[in-house]
Amino acid sequence: NVRLGGLGPDYEAVREKVEKLRQQKEYAKQINEHNMKNITSVQRSPAKPNVTTSVSRQKALEYAKKIPRPKTFVTRQPEEEVREERVLSQILRRHHLPQIASLETLQDRHEKEKQVVAAFRALHIL
């Protein structure tokens, strides 16, 4: 019995393919359920705490406690620098400057500001 192809669709071949796919899906579902049961039944061993880092940290802390701290040296400033700082603080305290009337006052102001800049440079701020 040989069946030759026809012009219409072959329903039997389609049914066979559909049945095969359904069986594959059913098998995959069964395997998935089986694996899920095995995973839950097998208890994982608790992860080891990282002992090496805590031990090394403890050693480092003990070492740090034993090392003497460096001494800090307090140096006194020369009187000139202290005076300059006082002048700077007085100048910076002024919130507004008075109205400037003449060229001489402008020149005086310029000289004072030069001194302020020089003082900042001496303090290594600029």
Side-chain angles (χ1 to χ4, degrees):
N1 289 337
V2 175
R3 184 164 183 218
L4 299 175
L7 293 175
D10 188 9
Y11 292 112
E12 291 179 22
V14 172
R15 279 190 209 123
E16 290 174 3
K17 287 182 183 178
V18 169
E19 183 64 25
K20 188 175 180 182
L21 285 173
R22 188 186 62 75
Q23 288 176 354
Q24 286 177 348
K25 287 182 183 179
E26 183 66 29
Y27 180 72
K29 200 180 287 184
Q30 289 174 359
I31 295 296
N32 193 11
E33 289 174 4
H34 178 71
N35 288 340
M36 291 301 286
K37 288 178 185 176
N38 285 345
I39 288 174
T40 56
S41 65
V42 175
Q43 294 179 358
R44 295 183 180 174
S45 61
K48 287 195 266 183
N50 197 352
V51 177
T52 57
T53 57
S54 63
V55 170
S56 61
R57 178 166 170 73
Q58 291 298 326
K59 288 181 182 178
L61 290 173
E62 290 174 12
Y63 178 74
K65 287 179 185 176
K66 293 177 184 176
I67 294 177
R69 294 187 182 200
K71 296 179 182 178
T72 57
F73 296 104
V74 179
T75 58
R76 290 189 171 189
Q77 296 177 346
E79 292 181 18
E80 294 176 8
E81 290 182 10
V82 173
R83 289 179 192 161
E84 289 176 0
E85 287 178 5
R86 288 181 191 162
V87 170
L88 287 175
S89 63
Q90 289 174 358
I91 291 172
L92 294 176
R93 284 184 198 154
R94 295 181 190 168
H95 295 293
H96 63 283
L97 296 174
Q99 294 292 330
I100 299 169
S102 67
L103 180 61
E104 294 176 0
T105 56
L106 284 174
Q107 288 177 344
D108 291 338
R109 180 177 167 191
H110 179 67
E111 292 300 322
K112 287 179 184 178
E113 289 177 355
K114 273 186 179 179
Q115 291 174 357
V116 169
V117 170
F120 277 128
R121 286 192 178 144
L123 295 175
H124 301 293
I125 295 176
L126 290 178

